[in-house]
Amino acid sequence: MTESSLTQDIATGSPVRLQAVTAEGQPEVTPELEELYRGFEQELLVPLWTEIGDLMPAHPRSRAVPHLWRWERLRELAARAGGIVPVGRGGERRAIALANPSLGGRPFATPTLWAAIQYLMPGEDAPEHRHTQHAFRFVVEGSGVWTVVDGDPVPMNRGDFLPQAGWNWHAHHNATAEPMAWIDALDIPFQYVTEAQFFEFGRDEISDAERITPERSRSERLWGHPGLRPLSAPPATPGSPLLSYKWQYTDAALAEQLLLEKEGFGGTIEPGHAAVRYSNPHDGSDVLPTIRAEFHRISRGAETAPVRETGSSVYQVFDGSGVVTVGDTSWTVTRGDLFVVPSWEPFSVKSEAGDSDSDSGALDLFRFSDAPVFEALKLDRTQKDG
């Protein structure tokens, strides 16, 4: 219902509309029942017996649907926007959001997750701001942009995962002669529906001292040592203090899992399926309070068992090719493609990757989800089919 129609309904009576129907489990349709329903409408009341099938279904029925966005097309349109759309105040970012086709045109990939391709032209800056929405950047290709988080320049290169908890100042600058694209993800829909969001503009330009291009950020130098926690660390704050998770470590961890499996020592979550979760080095929790990030590697020819989970996910193909099945929908996917797995839809994937289309010879998938929210509320549930 639109805001105008809602206003009209209130002016003329009530936005509540009840219809007496002849159906199993419903009261007999009589003049008395009709009169009762008109009384409910007048007082803005809705009886549970008319709504229980919608409010309390037997299993989750997501408003989102499975959908695939092709990376080549996204990148092409983002490049065209680069020549037309400025980055300055107003738009703030040249970010183009994925809109799930069943969410009414809203720029939401799922009911809780926002994802976009962001594009920065050579020499451009994206101005500073901060927001309560938790965010990250993931780089499927390219290099040359630094994101500056609270004054700390963080390099962005292929395969790097860069989380950033809410309410931290951040800007971006492209220090090269080439444009660069990456994906942004935030919990915008979740904070939108819970009416919890805040936003604040920062400086139009970062300082010369921040416009540097170190190979490692200060956060990496302090926190980026596997298994080692600095004793100088301040008390934990929401989100990971490590602002960049380098691809070289992710790649090595996945490769070792598959090698251990081949040697007969396990290490994978199912045959041919290696996976890691990005974690907070402070305490081992998720990198962000509302978003979980993982990386999956499926060996050529391996097929994952169908799995259902409460909560939604977005995947990006980092490398390789394969066939992805979400519910009743299947796609052949290649590098950069993004797709949505709605809540409780069965998901499986078969790897068709090889040396010709994958550096690892496997299908590599980056995944992020709203799992921390569901776990915090004790609403998480997983079911493996078959």
Side-chain angles (χ1 to χ4, degrees):
M1 180 175 291
T2 65
E3 185 175 351
S4 61
S5 63
L6 177 60
T7 302
Q8 183 179 7
D9 280 335
I10 293 174
T12 58
S14 169
V16 175
R17 293 287 184 267
L18 300 174
Q19 183 177 4
V21 297
T22 301
E24 184 179 355
Q26 294 295 310
E28 181 183 357
V29 178
T30 64
E32 291 78 13
L33 182 67
E34 295 282 7
E35 184 178 358
L36 176 64
Y37 280 6
R38 302 295 81 78
F40 287 162
E41 290 173 352
Q42 186 175 1
E43 298 301 325
L44 300 178
L45 301 171
V46 179
L48 179 60
W49 61 83
T50 66
E51 297 287 330
I52 191 167
D54 184 53
L55 294 178
M56 298 181 181
H59 55 77
R61 298 188 309 206
S62 179
R63 290 184 292 118
V65 295
H67 192 72
L68 174 75
W69 291 265
R70 296 292 183 187
W71 179 248
E72 285 190 5
R73 184 62 172 152
L74 292 178
R75 187 176 52 190
E76 174 195 343
L77 290 169
R80 287 167 57 185
I84 301 171
V85 181
V87 179
R89 295 300 185 198
E92 280 296 289
R93 300 286 188 265
R94 193 182 292 110
I96 306 159
L98 310 183
N100 192 286
S102 71
L103 297 181
R106 299 296 293 166
F108 302 157
T110 81
T112 55
L113 299 172
W114 188 92
I117 179 173
Q118 186 169 163
Y119 197 84
L120 207 59
M121 296 290 283
E124 278 189 330
D125 293 352
E128 185 181 62
H129 64 210
R130 65 178 177 176
H131 40 71
T132 50
Q133 291 89 349
H134 303 293
F136 72 77
R137 280 157 278 288
F138 179 73
V139 186
V140 73
E141 62 184 21
S143 62
V145 168
W146 273 254
T147 182
V148 182
V149 181
D150 287 329
D152 188 6
V154 187
M156 296 171 59
N157 298 293
R158 173 165 160 77
D160 292 351
F161 169 71
L162 298 92
Q164 181 205 294
W167 215 237
N168 288 285
W169 293 111
H170 57 285
H172 313 310
H173 71 96
N174 187 338
T176 72
E178 297 294 332
M180 183 174 168
W182 62 91
I183 65 165
D184 282 346
L186 298 89
D187 60 358
I188 289 175
F190 174 72
Q191 293 205 26
Y192 182 86
V193 74
T194 55
E195 301 178 346
Q197 67 272 39
F198 291 86
F199 178 92
E200 188 174 334
F201 291 112
R203 298 165 296 169
D204 289 337
E205 297 183 0
I206 58 176
S207 67
D208 290 341
E210 296 166 303
R211 199 181 298 280
I212 57 175
T213 56
E215 291 186 10
R216 292 188 303 152
S217 66
R218 295 193 295 273
S219 80
E220 294 171 77
R221 293 166 62 189
L222 185 62
W223 286 97
H225 306 283
L228 300 174
R229 181 179 182 275
L231 294 183
S232 62
T237 56
S240 174
L242 179 59
L243 299 178
S244 177
Y245 292 68
K246 295 291 193 186
W247 169 241
Q248 66 191 81
Y249 303 121
T250 308
D251 182 36
L254 296 164
E256 291 293 354
Q257 287 187 19
L258 290 173
L259 283 174
L260 284 168
E261 178 191 73
K262 187 176 181 180
E263 295 164 7
F265 297 107
T268 56
I269 59 175
E270 58 185 333
H273 183 183
V276 294
R277 179 185 300 173
Y278 298 94
S279 63
N280 186 333
H282 212 299
D283 57 11
S285 63
D286 282 296
V287 288
L288 295 168
T290 55
I291 298 175
R292 174 167 297 166
E294 301 171 347
F295 207 104
H296 296 251
R297 175 168 289 172
I298 300 101
S299 298
R300 178 175 176 82
E303 187 169 2
T304 66
V307 62
R308 301 174 187 258
E309 296 175 302
T310 50
S312 53
S313 298
V314 179
Y315 286 78
Q316 182 167 40
V317 180
F318 181 71
D319 221 352
S321 59
V323 176
V324 167
T325 300
V326 184
D328 297 326
T329 305
S330 293
W331 308 287
T332 296
V333 296
T334 58
R335 179 187 285 194
D337 292 346
L338 292 118
F339 60 90
V340 163
V341 180
S343 183
W344 212 242
E345 287 282 359
F347 166 68
S348 63
V349 57
K350 181 177 180 180
S351 173
E352 296 178 344
D355 294 337
S356 62
D357 65 358
S358 173
D359 294 337
S360 68
L363 176 59
D364 284 350
L365 298 172
F366 171 78
R367 176 200 186 193
F368 64 98
S369 72
D370 49 19
V373 176
F374 283 76
E375 290 183 358
L377 297 174
K378 308 302 181 187
L379 295 173
D380 56 303
R381 184 179 293 196
T382 300
Q383 174 184 302
K384 283 198 172 183
D385 295 345

